[in-house]
Amino acid sequence: MKRHTRAALAVAALALVIPVSGCASLLSPQQTADYQYNGGDGAWGTVGEIEVRGLMLIMDESGTGPAQLLFTLINKGDSSASVSLAVSGETFTESVAAGKTFVQDPQSPASSTTDPIVLDSIDAKPGDLIDITVSTGGQEKTIQAQVLSDSLPYYEEYVPTESPSAVPTEDATGSTGEETSPAEGSTSTESATASANG
């Protein structure tokens, strides 16, 4: 009985060792060197001397409104770089000094600008991935970025209500016409009454 028990334990131990050794080979230095962990939301990528981090778009959950583009650019080179990002037919270009970081996030204290980048429409909906082509120094790379929405409460303040071009002007609302119309109507009524009495 003891021999059978020992044999059974040996077989069980061997069954445990095989999958563990498989995991060890999966996590070998040769394989993990090519693996890049993307912590948090947003896509990462490297184009030449430029590192792109936190690349994403945020729009209303309905997917019908404009979207705000967010990203961080880190220049690892020794000279300033002009970096272009192309998405849904629109291109945005930023200059990043050598060894510096450019943050496109007006809500962040570390932001490099107070102006949001808003796209009137994009070829994607919340939950989709969208291609964004990043170019610099004659090199380019297409990165698939996430399209997120205000279904996540901490992104509510990032959802653009309307793009600047969509905000109606005073002339477009006809406010001036509305203010003069009653006066004109009153004048016409008074003239008609005067004619009738005359």
Side-chain angles (χ1 to χ4, degrees), residues 47 82 135-140:
V47 187
S82 178
S135 309
T136 182
Q139 301 182 57
E140 70 175 33

Side-chain angles (χ1 to χ4, degrees), residues 47 50 52 55 69 71 73 81-87 90-96 117 132-143:
V47 187
I50 299 295
V52 184
L55 182 61
L69 178 64
F71 57 84
L73 304 173
S82 178
V83 186
S84 296
L85 297 91
V87 54
E90 296 194 49
T91 302
F92 308 93
T93 303
E94 298 296 344
S95 180
V96 188
I117 293 180
I132 300 181
T133 302
V134 182
S135 309
T136 182
Q139 301 182 57
E140 70 175 33
K141 182 175 185 178
T142 298
I143 302 173

